[in-house]
Amino acid sequence: GGRGFDLVVSSDSSYVGNADRNGLPNGFGRLNVEPGSETDVTFAFVDSATQSAFVIGAFAFTFYDLDAAGTPGALTSVESITVGPFCKHELSDDSEIAVSQTIDCRTGFTATRKGRGSDNPSNPTHLTGLQLARSVTLYYKNVSSFKVTLNVTPGNGNRAFLFAGQTPFPINCNEEAQQLPTDRKSVV
C-alpha cells in the first residue's frame, strides 16, 4: 500500500461562523459560514506519520450545494467560492452556478438559486439532477495544498459549504484524476 495522508483544513483569515457545525457528515467535509462574511481556507495534504507536506499526483475535489436563501429575484445569503489555480473545472450541463474570472486570475463560482435543507445531498457520489446542478468539481495535479475563498452575502442564517475529495461526475478513463479516500480527512 501507499503512504497515508490527512487533509488539514484551516482558515487563513478571520473566520466567522458556527465552528460547532463544522465536521465530516455523511462523507462530506462541512464548513459553516455566517452571512455577510468571507474567509480564506487552505486545504493541505500532510503525511499521516510525519505531518510534512504530501503531494497528490492528480485528484478531483468537489464543492456541493452552492445555493442561497431569499426569493427569486431577491436572493440573500448567496454562497460562492473563489479558487485558483487549478487544472480545470466541471459543471453539469444545467448548472445553477455562475462562473466568473477575478482580477487576480482566480475563478469564482456563485450560486444563482435558492435552496432548502430538504434538497441537500446526503452522499458525495450519488446526487439528484438538482444537486448536481449546484456542484462544481475542480481538478488539480501535483499539489500539496490549495486555497479557496468562501463567501456568503448578507442575509439570515449561516450557510454550510459541503466538499469532498471526489467527483459526482463520471470519470473519463483517459483522465488521471483519482478519488481521494474518504477515511483520511481531518477538519480543523
Side-chain angles (χ1 to χ4, degrees):
R3 294 178 59 181
F5 63 90
D6 295 315
L7 174 62
V8 178
V9 181
S10 59
S11 175
D12 295 349
S13 59
S14 64
Y15 166 75
V16 182
N18 183 348
D20 292 338
R21 302 281 314 207
N22 297 343
L24 299 169
N26 303 320
F28 295 99
R30 178 179 59 209
L31 293 173
N32 180 279
V33 178
E34 189 173 295
S37 71
E38 176 176 284
T39 188
D40 295 318
V41 177
T42 297
F43 294 82
F45 301 104
V46 297
D47 184 289
S48 297
T50 67
Q51 298 301 296
S52 60
F54 188 92
V55 175
I56 304 287
F59 64 95
F61 200 88
T62 301
F63 286 88
Y64 301 82
D65 195 42
L66 291 177
D67 58 16
T71 58
L75 294 177
T76 62
S77 301
V78 177
E79 299 174 11
S80 68
I81 64 168
T82 305
V83 62
F86 53 89
C87 295
K88 70 175 189 169
H89 71 273
E90 188 166 13
L91 299 166
S92 70
D93 291 339
D94 59 348
S95 178
E96 296 182 356
I97 297 172
V99 181
S100 61
Q101 298 300 309
T102 64
I103 292 173
D104 61 357
C105 296
R106 295 174 53 188
T107 305
F109 299 94
T110 303
T112 62
R113 302 274 165 72
K114 178 181 178 174
R116 300 174 164 53
S118 62
D119 63 30
N120 289 354
S122 59
N123 182 307
T125 58
H126 297 91
L127 302 181
T128 66
L130 177 64
Q131 292 165 344
L132 197 60
R134 295 179 179 170
S135 300
V136 57
T137 296
L138 307 168
Y139 294 90
Y140 291 92
K141 196 170 192 177
N142 299 322
V143 299
S144 62
S145 68
F146 59 95
K147 293 182 186 239
V148 179
T149 301
L150 307 177
N151 181 285
V152 181
T153 63
N156 294 316
N158 288 15
R159 306 299 293 180
F161 286 87
L162 299 176
F163 56 89
Q166 42 197 309
T167 177
F169 298 99
I171 293 181
N172 180 335
C173 291
N174 296 325
E175 294 184 24
E176 298 176 34
Q178 63 184 9
Q179 307 278 42
L180 296 177
T182 59
D183 62 342
R184 302 297 300 172
K185 292 189 236 176
S186 302
V187 174
V188 177

